Amino acid sequence: MNSTRKLWVGLATLLIASFAVLLWVGSEIHRQSPPMPERVLGPRDELIFTRGDIETGRQVWQSIGGQQLGSIWGHGGYVAPDWSADWLHREAEAVMDVWAKREAGVDSYKKLPADVRASYQARVQALMRPNTYEEGSGTIRLDADRVAAIANVAQHYTSLFGNDPATAELREAYAMRNDTVPQAEHRRKLTAFYWWTSWAAVTQRPGSDITYTANWPADELVGNKPTTGAFVWTVFSVLFLIAGIALLGWHYAVNHGEEIAPSLPKTDPLASIKVTPSMKATAKYFWVVIALFLTQILLGAITAHYQVEGQQAYGFALADVLPYALTRTWHTQLAVLWIATAWLGMGLYIGPAISGHEPKFQRLGVNLLWVCLLVIVVGAFAGQWLAVMQKLGLERNFWFGHQGWEYVDLGRFWQWFLFIGLGLWLTLVGRSLWPAIRNGGESRSIVVLLFLSTVAIGLFYAAGLMWGEHTSLSMVEYWRWWVVHLWVEGFFEVFAVAVMSFLFTRLGLLQVKTATIAVLFATIVFMAGGVLGTLHHLYFTGTPTAVIALGASFSALEVVPLAYVGFEAYHSYKMGKATPWMQRYRWPIMFFIAVAFWNLVGAGLFGFLINPPLSLYYMQGLNLTATHGHTALFGVYGMLGIGLMLFCLRGLKPEVEWNEKVLRTSFWALNIGLSGMAAFTLLPLGILQLNAALKHGYWYARSAEFMQQPIVDLLVWMRVPADTIFSVGALALAWFVFRLWVAPRRVAATAAEPVRA
C-alpha cells in the first residue's frame, strides 16, 4: 500500500470514528438536556408559568433578534447582558430582599450585617439549587419566597422590554429600542422563557451537585463555581496541545524536505488556461463579494457605535428604523455570506480550469445561482427587519423572519432556499470536475479531495435544518455548531487547502506527489481536532459532562494544524519568489501568508485562550470571545477568500495591469486595521471584563454598571482609528476590482515586474 493510499484509509477511518462519537454525543445531549416543564407551580399549587408560556416566550425572544440582543447561556451579543445570568442574580437578590424585609424590616439584604448576609447566601443556595422537577407530571414546584422574587424580576423585565420611562436609561445602555416587545402578553411570556434558562443554570442535575449548565454562569451568590472536571480537562487540553505540536514538528522534520519542483517553468502555466463562458460569468460573484464586504463594514461601524450612544447615531434616532439587534444580525451574517460567496465563485471558476471541460448549460447554471444568492440575501434580510420591528407576527417568524441563532439567523424558508442553492453549486462544480477525476493523472487525489470537500460543503449545511421551532435549546446549539464550526471552519478549509495545492502544482512550483501527500496529511490533521473540537462550543449549553472531556481534548488539537499552516507560509513565500513570472501572483500569495499569521494569532493564540473549559467558564460571551471571532473569521477565512478571489481575477483579466500600489494599500490597511481593533479595544476590554467576572461574577462583567464606565467608552472610541484604516483597505480593494473592468490599463500578460511588498 503506497503512502497516498495509506493516507486515504487513515482519513476515512478518522472521519468515520469522529462522526460516530459526535453523533453519540448528540444522542446523549438529546437525552440529558434540561427538561421543559408542563407547568410551574407555587406552594399552594397556584400556576406561575406553563410550558406554553415558556415556548411562546422563546418565540418572542427569537423574533426580537434572539442571540443578537444580549445572550442566553453565553452565546450572543455583547452589549446587553446575558439574560440567563442577569435573571439568576436578580432573582437570588430578590429572594434575600424578601427575607430582609420580613425578618429585619429593611428593604434590601445589602443593609444587613456581613454575618447575616453570609447566612442568607447559604439559605438562598439551599433554596434555589435543589431540583424540584417532577418527571412524571412535568411539574416544577417553587417556594413562596421564590415565587415573590420571580414576580419582582418579571416586573423589571416587562418594564425593560416595553416603553416604561423608569427603565429608559437601562434600555439605552443595552442598545435596545423602545417597545422592543410592544405586546404586554408577549412581554409576560418572554419573562417565562428567561426564567427557565436561569432555572437550568442554577438547578442541579438529578443525582449530581452540578447544574444543567455545568455551574455556568460564575456567580458565588448562588453557588455557581467551576466544576472539578473543568480544572482537570483544562490541564489535559494543554498536554494534548503540547503533544500534538511536538508530533507535528517531528513529522514535518522527517517528511518534508525541499518541496519546490527542481525544474521551474519559464512562463506562467496558468496563462494558457482557456477562460470558458461559465468561468467569465463568475466575475459577478466577486462584484457581489465586494458589495457585501463594504456593507458589512458599514453595519459593523453602526453596531460598534451603538455601544456608545445606545439608541442613536450622532443625535439621529437610528434605533427606531435600524435597531442594534438588526445591525448586528446583518453584520455577522454578511461576514459569512461574502466569504462564502468568494469561495463559491472560486469553485465555479476552478472546476472548468482543472478539467478543461465546459459542461452544457454551465454558464446558465452559474448565472441562475448568482440570482438565487441575491434573492436569498434580500429576502432573508427583509424578513429579519420585519421580525425585529415586530411587524411579522410570531406564527410566521420561524419560517420567514429571524430565528435568533447567531450566524444561522435566516428564516427556515431561506435556509431551505440556500440549501437548494448549495446543491446547485455542488452540481455545477461536480460536473465540471468529473472529467478530471475520471481521466486520472498525478493530481487525481487532490482533485478527488477537492470534489469531496465540495460535496461536504453542499450537504453539511443540512445540519442547519435539523431543528424545529420548539426543539430543545441544547439540541439547537448542537446542530447550529455543526454549521458554524464544521461547515465553515472544517470543510471550507479543506476545500481551500485542496484548491491552493492544485494551483501550486499547476503552476509547476510543487511536485504533484509531494503536494498530494501534504494536502491529505493536512486534511487529516484538520479533521483530527476539527470534528470533535466542535464540542468546545457546547460546554455550558445544558449538555452532559462528557462534552467537556471530549471538547477540551480535541479542541486543543485544533491548534495543531494552525502550526502546520505556519510552516507552510514560509514555503508559500519562497514560491512567490521562485521565478520572475510568479510576481503576477504576489498579492494572492501575500494574502495566503496573512492567513497563516492570523491562523496562528487569531485562531491559535486567541482561540486557545478561550477554548479550555476553565477559561471559557469565565470568558464565554466577553469581548475576549469577540477578539477571537474577529481575528479568526476575517483574519483567516476573509483573507483566504480575498486571496482566492485574486487568483480568479488574475485569470479573468490576464491582459490588465494590476495596480500594485492599491493592492499594497489594501493588504496592509486590512491587516493593520484588524490588529488595531483587536489590540486597542477588543482585547483590553475583554481583559477588564474577565477581571470583573473573576471578582464579582459573570453577571457583573456584562452589566450596565460595568459596561457604562468611562474606561469602556474610551476603549470603544479607540476603535475609530483602526476601523478607519481597515475601511481604507476595503475601499482600496473595491477600487482595484472596479478598475479591472472600468478603464483598465492593458499590458502584456507577462509584463509584470517584481514589486516590493
Side-chain angles (χ1 to χ4, degrees):
M1 186 182 292
N2 61 34
S3 299
T4 301
R5 186 176 293 274
K6 287 179 181 178
L7 288 170
W8 274 113
V9 171
L11 177 59
T13 303
L14 171 69
L15 291 176
I16 291 171
S18 297
F19 277 102
V21 174
L22 189 61
L23 289 169
W24 170 77
V25 170
S27 68
E28 288 297 295
I29 293 174
H30 174 72
R31 190 173 63 84
Q32 299 186 44
S33 59
M36 180 65 69
E38 296 299 325
R39 62 192 63 81
V40 180
L41 302 179
R44 293 182 296 278
D45 287 344
E46 67 271 30
L47 187 64
I48 311 301
F49 299 125
T50 66
R51 178 173 188 147
D53 293 337
I54 299 171
E55 294 281 15
T56 302
R58 171 177 157 180
Q59 289 177 286
V60 174
W61 168 72
Q62 290 178 261
S63 73
I64 61 175
Q67 291 178 331
Q68 304 292 357
L69 183 63
S71 59
I72 292 291
W73 295 345
H75 290 304
Y78 306 108
V79 177
D82 181 90
W83 303 113
S84 309
D86 185 70
W87 181 293
L88 179 59
H89 192 80
R90 288 178 183 275
E91 183 182 336
E93 290 196 323
V95 168
M96 293 190 291
D97 285 344
V98 170
W99 294 340
K101 186 173 184 178
R102 184 173 64 222
E103 298 170 6
V106 295
D107 59 357
S108 172
Y109 81 97
K110 295 177 182 178
K111 297 179 179 179
L112 298 174
D115 59 333
V116 179
R117 294 201 305 271
S119 68
Y120 274 22
Q121 183 174 340
R123 282 173 62 186
V124 83
Q125 292 176 22
L127 174 67
M128 297 181 71
R129 294 185 71 82
N131 195 329
T132 61
Y133 174 70
E134 299 170 359
E135 188 172 356
S137 63
T139 300
I140 295 176
R141 296 188 179 275
L142 300 177
D143 171 89
D145 294 337
R146 193 170 180 187
V147 170
I150 289 171
N152 288 337
V153 180
Q155 184 178 7
H156 165 76
Y157 272 65
T158 53
S159 169
L160 178 65
F161 283 86
N163 200 20
D164 188 348
T167 48
E169 187 175 342
L170 201 55
R171 274 194 298 278
E172 184 176 354
Y174 293 162
M176 294 170 56
R177 72 185 186 95
N178 294 326
D179 264 340
T180 301
V181 182
Q183 299 92 336
E185 183 63 12
H186 283 177
R187 292 199 295 272
R188 186 188 73 80
K189 293 181 177 180
L190 179 63
T191 65
F193 171 68
Y194 284 155
W195 172 81
W196 177 81
T197 65
S198 71
W199 175 85
V202 75
T203 301
Q204 295 168 341
R205 289 181 177 273
S208 172
D209 61 353
I210 297 173
T211 73
Y212 285 106
T213 59
N215 288 357
W216 190 93
D219 192 343
E220 291 194 7
L221 186 64
V222 295
N224 272 4
K225 299 178 181 179
T227 64
T228 302
F231 284 95
V232 170
W233 290 108
T234 294
V235 173
F236 271 94
S237 70
V238 175
L239 294 178
F240 275 115
L241 172 65
I242 295 171
I245 291 179
L247 286 172
L248 177 66
W250 173 81
H251 178 277
Y252 201 88
V254 170
N255 294 284
H256 288 68
E258 184 58 56
E259 296 184 350
I260 296 181
S263 178
L264 299 174
K266 291 184 170 48
T267 58
D268 179 5
L270 292 184
S272 63
I273 292 178
K274 180 182 178 182
V275 180
T276 67
S278 71
M279 293 167 68
K280 290 180 180 178
T282 62
K284 62 177 70 69
Y285 284 78
F286 304 121
W287 303 339
V288 170
V289 166
I290 296 299
L292 296 181
F293 183 29
L294 294 178
T295 306
Q296 189 224 353
I297 292 172
L298 175 62
L299 289 165
I302 295 171
T303 302
H305 189 77
Y306 268 132
Q307 192 165 345
V308 178
E309 286 201 74
Q311 296 172 325
Q312 297 185 340
Y314 302 103
F316 178 70
L318 189 61
D320 292 343
V321 292
L322 203 63
Y324 172 88
L326 198 62
T327 62
R328 190 177 190 275
T329 297
W330 291 349
H331 176 67
T332 54
Q333 280 192 339
L334 284 171
V336 175
L337 286 171
W338 78 256
I339 293 170
T341 302
W343 292 19
L344 295 179
M346 175 62 173
L348 295 169
Y349 177 87
I350 202 68
I354 289 174
S355 66
H357 172 65
E358 174 84 346
K360 194 175 182 180
F361 302 122
Q362 183 80 354
R363 182 182 181 183
L364 176 63
V366 171
N367 291 333
L368 176 62
L369 179 59
W370 182 77
V371 172
C372 289
L373 288 174
L374 294 184
V375 171
I376 289 168
V377 172
V378 174
F381 281 25
Q384 288 167 345
W385 185 87
L386 291 170
V388 171
M389 300 304 289
Q390 297 292 285
K391 298 178 182 294
L392 194 62
L394 296 185
E395 65 279 1
R396 294 181 293 275
N397 178 69
F398 178 77
W399 279 91
F400 300 101
H402 200 308
Q403 284 204 48
W405 307 110
E406 193 178 26
Y407 294 110
V408 283
D409 301 288
L410 279 69
R412 178 54 51 88
F413 172 82
W414 302 109
Q415 281 186 304
W416 271 107
F417 199 161
L418 179 55
F419 180 60
I420 293 169
L422 288 169
L424 174 59
W425 177 76
L426 165 60
T427 302
L428 293 170
V429 177
R431 70 203 291 256
S432 62
L433 283 175
W434 188 250
I437 297 173
R438 186 180 56 205
N439 295 336
E442 280 190 305
S443 301
R444 184 176 183 180
S445 286
I446 296 177
V447 177
V448 168
L449 188 62
L450 178 62
F451 174 72
L452 292 178
S453 64
T454 302
V455 172
I457 290 169
L459 298 182
F460 265 79
Y461 187 75
L465 306 172
M466 298 301 291
W467 66 80
E469 191 169 7
H470 300 292
T471 301
S472 75
L473 262 66
S474 301
M475 285 306 299
V476 173
E477 288 291 346
Y478 170 76
W479 289 115
R480 181 173 79 91
W481 286 106
W482 273 56
V483 177
V484 180
H485 185 94
L486 275 176
W487 186 66
V488 176
E489 299 180 29
F491 296 114
F492 266 116
E493 189 149 359
V494 173
F495 172 81
V497 169
V499 168
M500 289 166 62
S501 296
F502 177 83
L503 288 172
F504 286 138
T505 57
R506 180 60 66 90
L507 285 167
L509 299 174
L510 284 179
Q511 300 177 58
V512 174
K513 182 179 179 181
T514 303
T516 300
I517 293 173
V519 73
L520 285 171
F521 177 75
T523 302
I524 290 173
V525 175
F526 284 141
M527 293 292 103
V531 176
L532 292 179
T534 306
L535 298 176
H536 79 256
H537 299 284
L538 305 175
Y539 294 153
F540 313 118
T541 56
T543 54
T545 53
V547 167
I548 293 180
L550 289 168
S553 302
F554 286 92
S555 67
L557 296 179
E558 287 186 278
V559 183
V560 174
L562 307 182
Y564 181 86
V565 171
F567 297 152
E568 294 301 305
Y570 174 66
H571 287 285
S572 296
Y573 182 72
K574 284 209 302 182
M575 285 184 275
K577 292 177 170 290
T579 182
W581 56 260
M582 271 302 293
Q583 297 303 314
R584 288 166 47 79
Y585 301 100
R586 184 178 191 84
W587 291 109
I589 289 176
M590 287 297 292
F591 276 97
F592 293 157
I593 293 171
V595 170
F597 172 80
W598 289 111
N599 248 322
L600 290 170
V601 175
L605 178 64
F606 293 143
F608 192 72
L609 173 68
I610 66 172
N611 280 355
L614 189 58
S615 301
L616 198 62
Y617 181 81
Y618 292 103
M619 298 181 193
Q620 181 164 282
L622 304 184
N623 274 273
L624 290 170
T625 304
T627 306
H628 166 60
H630 281 73
T631 53
L633 184 57
F634 179 78
V636 178
Y637 301 101
M639 292 286 188
L640 187 53
I642 293 172
L644 294 174
M645 178 180 72
L646 290 176
F647 251 113
C648 296
L649 293 177
R650 175 54 85 185
L652 286 169
K653 290 290 184 178
E655 78 288 356
V656 175
E657 180 183 14
W658 279 25
N659 191 326
E660 301 287 344
K661 291 182 179 179
V662 172
L663 276 179
R664 186 184 302 116
T665 299
S666 175
F667 176 83
W668 289 112
L670 289 173
N671 281 280
I672 293 171
L674 181 60
S675 301
M677 70 175 73
F680 298 120
T681 297
L682 298 177
L683 185 60
L685 180 52
I687 292 172
L688 289 177
Q689 285 185 295
L690 174 60
N691 184 61
L694 290 168
K695 279 187 175 182
H696 305 289
Y698 184 83
W699 66 273
Y700 179 73
R702 294 285 302 274
S703 68
E705 181 182 356
F706 177 85
M707 294 300 291
Q708 294 302 306
Q709 296 179 94
I711 183 63
V712 174
D713 279 351
L714 175 63
L715 288 173
V716 174
W717 277 110
M718 284 177 67
R719 275 192 63 163
V720 173
D723 285 2
T724 302
I725 294 171
F726 188 88
S727 300
V728 168
L731 289 170
L733 181 64
W735 178 251
F736 168 79
V737 174
F738 176 77
R739 286 302 305 273
L740 290 180
W741 274 269
V742 179
R745 182 178 177 182
R746 301 182 183 277
V747 295
T750 57
E753 295 294 330
V755 293
R756 61 184 179 85

